[in-house]
Amino acid sequence: MRPVINYDELLKRIPYKFAIPIAAAKRAENLKEFAKPYVETWDNNYVSIALKELSEGYIRIKNEEILKVLIPNVK
C-alpha cells in the first residue's frame, strides 16, 4: 500500500497553501540536481520525496514573513 501525504495535516503545519507546492517544486529541483534526500518513498519520485520531507519537518520554508501576504484577509 502506498503511503499518502495528507495535505490537510501539512496545512496545519504550514498555513500557506500556495507556498507548499512552490517549496516542494523547488526541493524536487534540488533533488533532481543530485541533492541528498532526507527520506525515502515507495516510488522515489522527487515531488513525493519533497512533500514527505515537508510533512515530516526535514525541510521548512525559510522566510515565512513574506508568505503571510498569501493568507487572505476575510471578514
Side-chain angles (χ1 to χ4, degrees):
M1 185 174 169
R2 300 180 209 180
V4 177
I5 295 168
N6 189 335
Y7 199 78
D8 291 330
E9 289 296 318
L10 193 53
L11 276 173
K12 289 178 186 175
R13 294 191 40 169
I14 305 167
Y16 313 104
K17 68 178 180 179
F18 299 114
I20 294 170
I22 293 168
K26 291 211 176 267
R27 177 62 178 153
E29 285 177 356
N30 291 338
L31 290 167
K32 187 176 180 182
E33 295 172 359
F34 305 107
K36 185 177 183 249
Y38 296 111
V39 297
E40 292 182 14
T41 59
W42 64 274
D43 62 352
N44 291 324
N45 182 303
Y46 298 129
V47 176
S48 299
I49 293 170
L51 286 170
K52 188 172 180 184
E53 287 176 346
L54 266 174
S55 67
E56 293 184 7
Y58 286 103
I59 59 173
R60 62 185 179 88
I61 298 171
K62 285 184 180 180
N63 197 346
E64 292 188 14
E65 290 298 317
I66 292 173
L67 299 176
K68 288 183 181 178
V69 176
L70 298 174
I71 297 176
N73 188 9
V74 179
K75 294 182 181 182

